[in-house]
Amino acid sequence: MPPASLVDRHVGFVHALRAAGLPVSPAEGLDAAHALMVVDLSDRQTLREAYAATLVKRPAHRPGFDTLFDLWFPPVISGAEGTAVAEDAELPELRERLAELLMGDPADPAFREFARAMVGRFGQVQAAPGRQSWFSFPVLRALSPETLVARMLAAMLDERGGLPEKVARRHISRTIEAFTEAVAADVRRRIAEEAGVEKVARSAVRPPIDQVDFLRATKDELARLRREVYPLARRLATRLSIRHRRGRRGRLDFRRTVRASLSTGGVPLTTCLRPPRPHRPELVVLCDASDSVSTFSHFTLLLTFALREQFTKVRAFAFVDTVDEITRLFAPGADVLDAIGRLTKEADIVRFGRTDYGHVFERFAERFPDAVGPRTSLLILGDARSNYQAPALGTLKRLAGQARHAYWLNPEPRAQWDTGDSLATSYGSVVPMHECRNVAQLAAFVETLA
């Protein structure tokens, strides 16, 4: 159970938010404590919104916040709540009652009361010999809310089809999702009562999408990460463009210089220069496409696809133990997911299937000698693990010297660099290497270019 003291509970809740990856500063924790002094603590929803207003910065952080709030500030529930519904009614009656609730408002207290009652009736199963635990799956399997859709549509509509049916289906989908979450929340509450809220909190919340590790991202998380790519691509292009312009001086503006010299008797003491023209840099991306960094390469290829629109010229190369240009797969109008799927079938990037950075750099310099030039930003994406092969540092140094800028993004934690077959420090001595395990670190890298 959470600590009995409100202060201890507040401190534990803020600590749990930080542990889950939500950025909560000490000052914001104090703001939340001050907010508790002016709100009605007996109103749980008001308490929730007071915490949210002071601690939540982004909409993407709200689901994790709500999950942890429900654990640290659970609703007051009487022991007999929903007992009659759970014990006396037969399953067909329960499904009929669920259909009525799903057609209504999920904010109705009866909605969550029914969910808690169903968890009490169906949710406890034997997890191991001699030990029982609580699960959402048996509740949803017994009630099968998805199979009630046709019945609910018949009750809600006089005539099927058209916009009214679309609206009704959308409402039903939202209420089924709300019921599923209400069941999951009550399951977490019951487990927390038995095992301790701290233990449950550590596993109940996935990190915010900007802190999801590229190498551990699920399919759904990769889909959400796509929405983070385009703003980062625009910022990266802007930062590199600024670095291209820095230190450049425009050509002499003769007319302004002569006009300025009139005040000094025709002596041009001050020369006026034309402002340099804005320049969109060129970009070359070298992306490790081996299985060990497959989810990272998936994301970086999405980034490459987005960068194509921000740079004058983008050339993309994928490699495992040899390298091939894949720019053609990202032609205007191409579907990015289709391009990533074609990569493994059409690109000549595998000889033996074991990553060999040294051979890749040598083959890249040999096959594509014109790829890197004085206007090029070279971006290398990979874990620097070369299966104990020769690193070809000289070739990499030559490539980096030819480029205007060169950067290396490594998806592995810094603590794992130089372990096993990693050549992170050796390569990092030639090309500045940055840890890049998630969107937050990629955004930080982009900011360092300013």
Side-chain angles (χ1 to χ4, degrees):
M1 288 293 293
S5 164
L6 179 59
V7 174
D8 291 340
R9 191 176 299 211
H10 167 80
V11 172
F13 176 53
V14 171
H15 177 75
L17 290 172
R18 292 189 186 123
L22 275 70
V24 179
S25 68
E28 290 163 343
L30 289 174
D31 289 342
H34 290 146
L36 300 185
M37 301 170 63
V38 297
V39 300
D40 182 2
L41 298 179
S42 64
D43 186 337
R44 184 167 174 265
Q45 187 59 29
T46 298
L47 180 64
R48 181 195 298 269
E49 296 308 323
Y51 267 121
T54 52
L55 301 180
V56 179
K57 298 181 179 67
R58 299 179 57 189
H61 296 164
R62 185 60 190 256
F65 165 86
D66 285 331
T67 297
L68 291 173
F69 181 88
D70 288 338
L71 287 173
W72 285 88
F73 300 92
V76 177
I77 298 172
S78 64
E81 184 181 27
T83 301
V85 175
E87 293 182 356
D88 297 342
E90 297 293 333
L91 185 57
E93 297 176 57
L94 295 175
R95 282 168 51 81
E96 189 66 35
R97 175 60 177 155
L98 175 59
E100 295 175 5
L101 292 170
L102 292 177
M103 289 186 289
D105 185 0
D108 185 349
F111 191 89
R112 290 191 174 271
E113 178 183 339
F114 181 81
R116 290 191 288 266
M118 294 302 96
V119 173
R121 175 162 177 174
F122 300 109
Q124 191 172 35
V125 297
Q126 185 168 324
R131 185 171 68 87
Q132 291 189 323
S133 188
W134 300 93
F135 297 93
S136 300
F137 176 71
V139 180
L140 301 175
R141 180 181 58 186
L143 297 173
S144 300
E146 292 83 1
T147 64
L148 299 171
V149 173
R151 182 188 309 181
M152 289 186 282
L153 288 174
M156 296 171 68
L157 302 172
D158 295 329
E159 185 176 345
R160 297 283 293 273
L163 181 61
E165 180 173 348
K166 290 182 180 179
V167 173
R169 285 185 178 275
R170 191 176 299 117
H171 174 78
I172 293 170
S173 296
R174 284 198 299 265
T175 54
I176 290 177
E177 183 179 348
F179 179 74
T180 302
E181 176 52 36
V183 169
D186 194 62
V187 166
R188 288 192 294 267
R189 176 186 66 82
R190 292 172 187 265
I191 296 175
E193 290 176 350
E194 298 175 357
V197 66
E198 294 88 353
K199 181 178 180 180
V200 176
R202 285 193 294 269
S203 59
V205 180
R206 288 283 293 172
I209 192 62
D210 64 339
Q211 297 185 27
V212 170
D213 195 321
F214 290 137
L215 298 182
R216 295 176 176 82
T218 65
K219 184 177 180 180
D220 290 340
E221 288 168 339
L222 280 173
R224 293 169 60 197
L225 282 171
R226 289 181 206 138
R227 293 193 290 271
E228 306 288 331
V229 168
Y230 286 91
L232 280 174
R234 287 193 295 270
R235 287 160 60 192
L236 178 58
T238 301
R239 295 292 187 265
L240 291 175
S241 180
I242 290 172
R243 289 178 71 88
H244 271 267
R245 294 198 301 268
R246 184 172 295 167
R248 289 181 58 201
R249 304 184 67 189
R251 300 174 63 182
L252 177 68
D253 189 329
F254 183 77
R255 179 176 297 179
R256 289 177 57 203
T257 301
V258 171
R259 186 180 297 120
S261 71
L262 297 178
S263 63
T264 56
V267 179
L269 297 180
T270 303
T271 56
C272 299
L273 303 177
R274 298 181 186 275
R277 293 182 179 179
H279 173 68
R280 295 177 69 195
E282 298 177 359
L283 180 69
V284 168
V285 179
L286 271 172
C287 178
D288 186 345
S290 60
D291 290 340
S292 62
V293 291
S294 58
T295 51
F296 176 62
S297 62
H298 184 111
F299 178 79
T300 53
L301 289 172
L302 288 172
L303 178 63
T304 302
F305 190 83
L307 288 172
R308 180 200 60 190
E309 302 174 2
Q310 308 297 327
F311 287 78
T312 303
K313 183 178 181 181
V314 175
R315 295 184 69 180
F317 301 84
F319 66 87
V320 177
D321 55 0
T322 189
V323 62
D324 192 15
E325 183 166 7
I326 57 172
T327 309
R328 64 187 184 281
L329 301 180
F330 295 90
D335 179 79
V336 61
L337 297 182
D338 178 60
I340 293 172
R342 291 171 56 195
L343 169 65
T344 56
K345 300 177 182 177
E346 300 181 18
D348 180 20
I349 58 177
V350 178
R351 294 181 304 159
F352 308 113
R354 296 169 62 86
T355 312
D356 186 345
Y357 279 80
H359 184 263
V360 165
F361 294 141
E362 291 174 347
R363 287 289 292 159
F364 177 75
E366 176 186 334
R367 292 184 58 190
F368 310 102
D370 61 336
V372 178
R375 299 176 61 186
T376 304
S377 291
L378 175 62
L379 189 60
I380 303 173
L381 311 165
D383 59 6
R385 292 190 175 274
S386 197
N387 288 290
Y388 304 101
Q389 303 299 317
L393 292 175
T395 304
L396 178 60
K397 187 172 183 178
R398 186 170 69 254
L399 290 171
Q402 293 171 354
R404 179 108 181 183
H405 309 291
Y407 306 98
W408 190 312
L409 302 184
N410 190 328
E412 284 196 334
R414 190 176 294 271
Q416 297 180 16
W417 294 7
D418 297 326
T419 62
D421 61 342
S422 173
L423 295 170
T425 298
S426 298
Y427 285 136
S429 65
V430 178
V431 175
M433 187 173 291
H434 302 262
E435 180 183 315
C436 185
R437 295 187 293 114
N438 51 48
V439 169
Q441 289 185 336
L442 179 57
F445 161 72
V446 171
E447 292 302 322
T448 63
L449 300 181

